[in-house]
Amino acid sequence: MTHNAETAPTPPIVPITASSHPITMTIDIGGSGLKAMLLDAKGRPVSERQRVLTPDVPTPDAVLKSLDELRKMIPHFDRVSAGFPGVVKHGVTLAAFNLHPRWAGFPLQAELEKRWKKPARVGNDADVAGYGVIKNQGVELVLTLGTGTGGALFTNGHLCPGLEIGHHIWRKRGMTYEDYLGRRGLDKFGKKEWNKLLQEAIKTTEALFNWDHLYLGGGNTKKIEFLPPKNVEIVSNESGLLGGVYLWKDQA
């Protein structure tokens, strides 16, 4: 018998008041879509989510033009947080395996500040998603299942930076977690086999990291057909937006 897993709902929108500031425009850059939402100082949504398609050829110039279109849909804000699907250090994108080679060494944070005249922070998308869902208790792992496969590891709320679990070899030489669990794995193996592979990955990562809690996010969580273990939680597809405020926590 197949169990359809349930996804956690997105938090409700709250009204903007004087205490809402600074308001953060939080962006989730994905392989198929670019999403944005406004968050108040506590990380609560104060606007509807907006979305535009990722350009067919997602070079930095093309993506930035689409982000300009996305910005037009969003009211006034004080600062920007962006989650990027690749390695990010000091606001510079070092690699983007599912976007375009031109992202290697691109100063995205500085470019957003120059373009929009607002302070900006850029981080790995799985890290941002993790900040939006973790409980700050013990070892917590976040896996994002979308065009690619992202991962973020936290210990008592502290991020272990630089984790790229999606590109770690798994099951077969030359194959990675992303090859099996990303969109190309879903297309290649089909939904039934993909669900079996995901259940295997849950067991493997538990043995590797000894996590206390695992969170599954990303657009393809809607294809999960099994009932996860009690310490595995399927989170809202908006988690990649909800953690945006935490990129500023060292500035608070």
Side-chain angles (χ1 to χ4, degrees), residues 60-68 71 106 108-118:
D61 283 346
V63 170
L64 284 164
K65 287 179 182 177
S66 294
L67 289 178
D68 284 341
R71 186 199 174 182
F106 187 79
L108 180 56
Q109 182 171 296
E111 182 62 27
L112 286 173
E113 290 183 336
K114 176 183 175 182
R115 231 175 159 89
W116 293 351
K117 305 296 189 290
K118 301 285 186 180

Side-chain angles (χ1 to χ4, degrees), residues 33-54:
L34 310 174
K35 299 181 290 185
M37 177 188 289
L38 296 185
L39 304 178
D40 70 7
K42 295 182 179 179
R44 299 174 300 183
V46 292
S47 79
E48 297 284 352
R49 185 205 74 169
Q50 302 293 343
R51 183 180 187 274
V52 297
L53 294 176
T54 302

